[in-house]
Amino acid sequence: MIDPLLVSVYVFVLAIFVGFETITKVPPLLHTPLMSGTNAISGITLVGALISAGAGHSGLSTILGLLAVIIATINVVGGFLVTDRMLEMFKKSKKKD
Amino acid sequence: MNIIIALAYLLSSILFILSLKNLSSPKTARRGNLFAMSAMLIAIIATLLKNEIVDFTFIIIGLLTGSVIGAIMARKVRMTAMPQMVALLNGLGGGASAFVALAEYYRLTGGPGLNVVISMVISLFIGAVTLTGSLVAFGKLQGIIRPAPVVFKAQRSLNILIFTLFLVMGVFVTINPANHTGVLAILTIALVFGILFVIPIGGADMPVVISLLNSYSGVAAAATGFVLDNNILIICGALVGASGLILTRIMCKAMNRSLANIFFGEVGGSQSEETGEEDKRKVIKYTEEDAAMVLDSAQSVIIIPGYGLAVAQAQFALNELAKTLLNKGITVRYAIHPVAGRMPGHMNVLLAEANVPYDHLLDLGDINDDFQYTDVALVVGANDVINPAARVDKDNPLYGMPILNADKAKTVVICKRSLSPGFSGVDNELFYNKNTMMIFGDAKDSINKLIKSLKT
């Protein structure tokens, strides 16, 4: 059996490569939405926050968890919505009618 | 059930990657964002199915509060304020990761494994640095804190000292995970370090800092993933970390500066040294009517927007001007420098908001050879990115920075608030050129006057 930690390291390193490959293809035009979008994605830590807030542990853990859920949700919801608002504005010029 | 959750995480990861792939074109970008939203939703639902979760009260309270605040922020924020919005959200993401790591630490007092403790220390540190660093960046961009760099003696040594302190505490906590004081010390050190690391950064270097903090928020999430042994966190964190790193590199390249130089260099610190020379050369002031005449007789115009455009909120007026010119049969395009504005792509978003079609927005590399065939380069609120000294003057702090060849156009019209130098503190010789027309005043006023003169 491979150490689970090692598997995590594999996943981490490979994901970095996938990130580099896909993100180098994003044009400068979209760099701001890219930032706000990836920003929202980093709010994935919400998944961990949910466990901390809902696992019924000691008071301190739960309070920290609740705090984390609130700010991670702001990060996720705010980030995705503002990205959508921006992307909606990008339009190509209309061909002359 | 665990298998279902793991597979849901896998699906979610795939959707996240596809979402980034779709961001490579403005046509598919919105769909990409939708993919990311669905991926997040899947990950959340899958997590809620875990049998570790027994109490939903706090989860529901947290999700609702966060959603309401996030939605209001996203709806209310002005496009010109996007850099500070992103900075703030970065900070919240990093902060959340730090809190989760801390919560997990208090939960696992029974003796967490070595790898968990190390990941926890890293996650706590990077997350907390991201939190306070982003808050300082937010304050500077919002104008709550003075945006000028705060530099003091021994700043570098202090930073090194604090970082060493962190390493020492990190080792202590690793050896004895029950050392609660040590963990709190790390948290405090990280919070202070975040502040110290952003205060020396000036306004124009903000694109680099925001990109870097973006990367940190990803790394913090990934480290939390190691704490929780959760692959979706590791994958997303790695993606975001890579993205922020790429942007940081692009920004550094666009300024021809290394990361170390941005954090420890003292650009803009030596403004007052050489005032003797200044009065010798005179700038000729032109009126909007003069410039309108030149624009009217032009066949092609390239507009160069800078941070001044955002400050004056002049993006709508500028599009109006462009439309007036287009109606006269004049070709109008925009040249966007990678570091124009306060975050990567800032100008593109502003102009998109003003309904400028994105195919009119061109990057430095795509448009720079066209200036020599262009009648008018219209500069609105930009300075350092068009300073020709960057090409030749080896003693100039801007030397080597790729610039837009505005000076190659037949006429350069520059709308600027005053003659004050740009962020670099370097005088711009372009202002004194014979083919340059300087118009002083608020960018929005100047543009509106140009439109008026062109229409009569």
Side-chain angles (χ1 to χ4, degrees):
Chain A
M1 239 346 239
I2 312 173
D3 184 349
L5 176 66
L6 210 57
V7 176
S8 299
V9 173
Y10 269 60
V11 169
F12 181 65
V13 174
L14 293 178
I16 288 180
F17 275 92
V18 173
F20 267 101
E21 285 304 308
T22 42
I23 288 152
T24 2
K25 296 200 181 78
V26 178
L29 174 75
L30 294 174
H31 276 171
T32 296
L34 169 69
M35 283 198 96
S36 58
T38 50
N39 200 315
I41 295 177
S42 75
I44 187 73
T45 203
L46 174 59
V47 163
L50 291 175
I51 301 172
S52 304
H57 297 300
S58 73
L60 191 55
S61 262
T62 308
I63 291 170
L64 283 170
L66 171 66
L67 219 63
V69 171
I70 295 176
I71 60 179
T73 311
I74 298 177
N75 188 194
V76 169
V77 174
F80 280 136
L81 288 183
V82 88
T83 308
D84 188 62
R85 214 182 114 194
M86 273 189 270
L87 290 173
E88 196 190 355
M89 299 181 320
F90 282 91
K91 287 184 191 91
K92 213 173 168 163
S93 55
K94 287 173 212 125
K95 289 271 169 301
K96 280 175 193 131
D97 346 90
Chain B
M1 193 48 112
N2 280 337
I3 290 177
I4 294 176
I5 294 170
L7 288 177
Y9 281 169
L10 180 62
L11 176 64
S12 162
S13 305
I14 294 170
L15 282 172
F16 276 126
I17 293 168
L18 287 178
S19 103
L20 292 176
K21 213 168 140 62
N22 275 291
L23 268 179
S24 60
S25 153
K27 274 181 231 143
T28 53
R30 218 177 157 198
R31 187 174 69 202
N33 194 44
L34 212 63
F35 279 179
M37 286 191 217
S38 350
M40 189 63 78
L41 197 65
I42 292 171
I44 292 171
I45 292 172
T47 308
L48 292 178
L49 293 177
K50 285 198 172 194
N51 35 20
E52 284 167 80
I53 296 184
V54 288
D55 183 2
F56 285 88
T57 343
F58 290 114
I59 290 179
I60 292 168
I61 295 173
L63 285 175
L64 282 179
T65 321
S67 300
V68 171
I69 299 174
I72 293 175
M73 278 168 63
R75 194 166 271 241
K76 287 272 159 81
V77 64
R78 277 180 158 185
M79 285 304 142
T80 44
M82 204 46 78
Q84 47 267 52
M85 169 87 170
V86 169
L88 185 64
L89 292 176
N90 263 335
L92 295 182
S97 290
F99 285 148
V100 173
L102 203 59
E104 185 67 7
Y105 170 74
Y106 282 118
R107 190 173 76 81
L108 288 175
T109 25
L114 186 65
N115 56 337
V116 172
V117 177
I118 295 177
S119 317
M120 194 272 297
V121 168
I122 295 174
S123 165
L124 188 61
F125 184 74
I126 301 180
V129 167
T130 312
L131 176 64
T132 48
S134 301
L135 288 179
V136 174
F138 168 79
K140 285 192 171 209
L141 290 162
Q142 183 74 25
I144 304 169
I145 308 173
R146 234 164 48 91
V150 178
V151 249
F152 50 86
K153 260 188 181 172
Q155 194 159 22
R156 205 172 177 169
S157 329
L158 182 68
N159 282 343
I160 293 172
L161 181 78
I162 291 185
F163 191 73
T164 319
L165 206 62
F166 155 67
L167 290 179
V168 173
M169 293 316 292
V171 171
F172 275 143
V173 171
T174 313
I175 296 169
N176 174 19
N179 184 351
H180 284 226
T181 331
V183 171
L184 288 179
I186 290 177
L187 178 64
T188 318
I189 291 169
L191 292 173
V192 174
F193 192 68
I195 298 172
L196 286 175
F197 133 97
V198 181
I199 50 167
I201 315 283
D205 283 338
M206 276 303 160
V208 183
V209 179
I210 300 186
S211 310
L212 196 64
L213 288 168
N214 189 226
S215 177
Y216 283 4
S217 72
V219 177
T224 309
F226 278 99
V227 176
L228 301 173
D229 192 19
N230 185 319
N231 279 335
I232 187 100
L233 256 73
I234 295 176
I235 292 171
C236 289
L239 293 176
V240 178
S243 160
L245 221 54
I246 291 173
L247 290 174
T248 311
R249 208 172 55 182
I250 294 174
M251 295 298 115
C252 283
K253 247 192 202 157
M255 295 200 284
N256 189 41
R257 293 172 63 192
S258 68
L259 207 53
N261 181 270
I262 286 159
F263 283 99
F264 301 114
E266 286 176 26
V267 168
S270 56
Q271 277 133 311
S272 49
E273 274 173 29
E274 34 191 330
T275 36
E277 246 180 290
E278 236 170 55
D279 300 339
K280 286 182 196 160
R281 293 183 294 177
K282 271 233 166 93
V283 160
I284 310 166
K285 286 181 197 169
Y286 287 85
T287 62
E288 283 82 359
E289 287 76 26
D290 301 330
M293 263 162 49
V294 175
L295 283 171
D296 207 13
S297 57
Q299 287 187 330
S300 55
V301 174
I302 296 179
I303 300 175
I304 303 172
Y307 184 56
L309 178 79
V311 175
Q313 303 266 357
Q315 67 270 35
F316 292 96
L318 189 61
N319 185 37
E320 192 59 40
L321 174 66
K323 271 201 247 161
T324 316
L325 294 172
L326 282 168
N327 284 339
K328 288 178 184 279
I330 302 165
T331 324
V332 180
R333 286 172 303 168
Y334 296 79
I336 314 284
H337 194 278
V339 292
R342 288 293 183 261
M343 74 181 292
H346 192 185
M347 291 297 125
N348 297 302
V349 171
L350 279 194
L351 292 168
E353 184 194 19
N355 284 320
V356 176
Y358 63 77
D359 43 335
H360 291 184
L361 309 173
L362 296 161
D363 303 329
L364 180 117
D366 294 332
I367 201 162
N368 235 1
D369 292 334
D370 290 5
F371 278 103
Q372 47 192 315
Y373 314 112
T374 299
D375 296 317
V376 181
L378 174 64
V379 181
V380 184
N383 185 355
D384 289 341
V385 298
I386 49 160
N387 193 337
R391 275 193 224 116
V392 285
D393 182 2
K394 284 196 175 145
D395 299 324
N396 196 300
L398 294 175
Y399 179 71
M401 169 171 152
I403 57 157
L404 289 163
N405 297 330
D407 56 327
K408 300 265 170 81
K410 278 195 200 111
T411 310
V412 186
V413 176
I414 301 179
C415 297
K416 217 175 164 308
R417 259 187 306 188
S418 69
L419 203 56
S420 65
F423 166 74
S424 66
V426 181
D427 205 13
N428 194 338
E429 60 185 80
L430 183 60
F431 298 166
Y432 307 96
N433 272 5
K434 265 188 293 186
N435 64 343
T436 300
M437 301 176 87
M438 296 293 291
I439 303 172
F440 292 108
D442 175 71
K444 202 167 166 183
D445 286 347
S446 299
I447 293 170
N448 281 329
K449 280 184 197 156
L450 279 174
I451 299 171
K452 220 167 125 196
S453 309
L454 278 167
K455 280 188 173 162
T456 47

